[in-house]
DNA sequence: GTGAAAGCGCTAACAA
DNA sequence: TTGTTAGCGCTTTCAC
């Protein structure tokens, strides 16, 4: 079933059918109505692949994400899909599970389908994997990678604002020994966040103890493991910031397992503000990365890049802000059950 | 850049290039190598839209889900994508947010892209929405809708086995007053599950109190609200089964808010076995719907239906089983602080 | 207002 | 073993 079939039935040419479908005003209303009626009756849907072929652009944007299991990504996806559908674009999704081979596979899938651009929310990017995109002039927009170039834009996350709010907040609660659980040490997003942490600590004149800086994997299990390392220290932080909420939630579980209370014994602050943070107990104090705005920015970046494929890449920025819930609270002196060198020892019964 | 460009450079015809790309053995190895080399150098990727156009099938399956925010679906998606990629198929995903207009929109997206089949995991299906698929002979596979027909298959969930295990387990723990929080009352999946619950209750000779049967919305908030209704009853159940894990997690939160302990005061059993169930406290006793097998079954159903579009639809079945964690425990007589008619009143200090 | 026809990139039947 | 060519369904220019 194609436009010619419709045309034959109505007694017009396929060109007229095409015009009707595309809302051209060059068709006599009666003709248009007859065409529409037959289309309706036969439940005809035009084949967009033909259009894609003709114009070389598919009306599809690719979305590559590392881990669909982390609620941040479904929440992003939901917003992104909504924006695309509103703009008559299609979405081609791929996940990488943090594997670079999977990333390359995903890029290939995007390339053979001739997507009009790719939003890459994976952090572990080797240049090799994305070369093919750049080479084929497919606009690429990355997440907080902070490198731009021809056909390569970036949505930079301004961690600084949120991180400063978080540190200031913790300081106001009496915390001075503040730790950080990052993503993998190799990854740029993780580095940017860790650096923002270090800068904020400096700004508020707090000493950084590198023993308090640990590495997770952006997942629950990584946060749990890193928190256990921190618990085992003799000198421990009283507050911990994390690279994302799943890491924070893992840390919370480690603390629960070891019999510590939050925020009584330790304060935990996450990053992302996934919905789950509101549902767990204690609810998660976190740095919010506004999801809709984030998705919107990616879309805008893709559109901009698509308009002129020779334009240089651009840098876009979204901010972060502190959302106060119940996983951070005032420091409690009795937290330090064991201390190094006998300093800071607290009375047992107080 | 197309096959002719490659062909020109190598000094062969585009047919030869096509043969090399598709692994035909009718090409002299040296020729093939030269072709491959140029493809590599130029980072050429063939345009699958042309192939799609030529063959009328796109190598793409559609996946329609109601709510990407419910972790069950990302977990399914992950498995499904993996299977598709392994089989050189593409995935076109759409979410409906439980709106029938969004469903119709999604179906349209599938139709214009000429997908080879659609896996529909949405429960709120009006026949109108899917008519276009059936009419256009696009194989459709639904989730536990239990209707089949030409071009319409179903992956039925055998709730019975799991439900019976759950009731038997609760009975062995001393529970006799067992409640159920379903999805929407209008939806078939919800009905199938509720019916399985009723049948299991009967099988184990437990009386059903219809006051204990409530309706949620498959989401956290629905479970929370329904649980609050149950808490407010003067005669209350001691154990509650739910239509899915998110509902159960909402119920857990309601209980925590009202100061009840789980499983001390109430036992809760979920359905799905999402990863989150292991992470929360108390960890969730639930009925497992094996995700990989489920995704695999959908894929098989789509493949089967695609082989012969005139074949009648088939029914596929996946089972469920009880996963025991910590949200269900023995009945505690003192739970019943207030009772109706003075029956079952418990001593205060016991 | 409407129609005829070319061409998007690929593949397979057929020819050589 | 390789090349030629028609055609998948659509849009759009040009002709009428």
């Amino acid at each position: 079933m194609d436009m010619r079939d419709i045309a034959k039935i109505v007694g017009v040419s396929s060109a007229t059918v095409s015009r009707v479908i595309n809302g051209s005003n060059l068709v006599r209303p009666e003709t248009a109505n007859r065409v529409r009626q037959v289309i309706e009756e036969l439940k005809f849907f035009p084949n967009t692949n033909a259009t894609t072929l003709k114009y070389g652009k598919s009306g599809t944007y690719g979305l590559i994400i590392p881990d669909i299991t982390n609620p941040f990504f479904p929440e992003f996806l939901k917003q992104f899909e909504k924006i695309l559908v509103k703009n008559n674009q299609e979405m081609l999704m791929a996940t990488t599970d943090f594997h670079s081979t999977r990333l390359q596979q995903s890029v290939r899938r995007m390339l053979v389908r001739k997507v009009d651009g790719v939003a890459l929310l994976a952090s572990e990017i080797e240049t090799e994997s994305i070369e093919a995109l750049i080479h084929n002039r497919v606009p690429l927009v990355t997440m907080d990678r902070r490198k731009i170039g021809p056909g390569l834009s970036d949505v930079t996350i301004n961690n600084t604002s949120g991180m400063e709010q978080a540190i200031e907040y913790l300081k106001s609660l009496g915390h001075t020994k503040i730790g950080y659980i990052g993503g993998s040490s190799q990854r740029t997003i993780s580095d940017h966040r860790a650096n923002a942490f270090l800068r904020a600590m400096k700004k508020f004149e707090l000493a950084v103890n590198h023993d308090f800086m640990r590495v997770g994997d952006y997942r629950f299990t990584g946060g749990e493991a890193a928190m256990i390392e921190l618990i085992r220290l003799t000198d421990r932080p009283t507050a911990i910031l994390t690279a994302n909420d799943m890491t924070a939630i893992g840390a919370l579980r480690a603390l629960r397992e070891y019999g510590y209370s939050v925020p009584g014994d330790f304060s935990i602050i996450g990053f992302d503000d996934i919905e789950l943070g509101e549902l767990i107990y204690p609810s998660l104090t976190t740095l919010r990365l506004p999801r809709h705005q984030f998705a919107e920015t990616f879309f805008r970046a893709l559109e901009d890049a698509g308009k002129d494929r020779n334009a240089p890449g651009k840098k876009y920025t979204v901010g972060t802000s502190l959302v106060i819930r119940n996983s951070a609270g005032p420091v409690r002196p009795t937290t330090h059950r064991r201390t190094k060198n006998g300093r800071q020892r607290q009375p047992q019964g107080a």
Side-chain angles (χ1 to χ4, degrees), chain A residues 163-211:
Chain A
M163 206 57 99
E164 288 181 357
Q165 285 175 54
I167 300 291
E168 185 171 23
Y169 176 63
L170 288 175
K171 191 177 179 185
S172 77
L173 293 169
H175 295 275
T176 55
K177 299 163 76 175
I178 303 177
Y180 182 79
I181 302 177
S184 146
S185 53
Q186 306 293 54
R187 294 173 187 166
T188 46
I189 290 188
S190 178
D191 284 353
H192 296 320
R193 262 171 224 181
N195 289 337
F197 167 75
L198 295 173
R199 271 183 277 116
M201 288 291 278
K202 190 165 184 187
K203 172 159 178 181
F204 291 99
E205 297 172 327
L206 293 170
V208 170
N209 181 337
H210 284 276
D211 253 12

Side-chain angles (χ1 to χ4, degrees), chain A residues 82-101:
Chain A
K82 202 177 284 178
I83 296 166
L84 291 192
V85 168
K86 203 166 60 192
N87 287 274
N88 269 308
Q89 289 277 325
E90 203 46 76
M91 185 182 70
L92 183 55
M93 197 213 68
T95 60
T96 67
D97 257 330
F98 297 105
H99 292 309
S100 73
T101 47

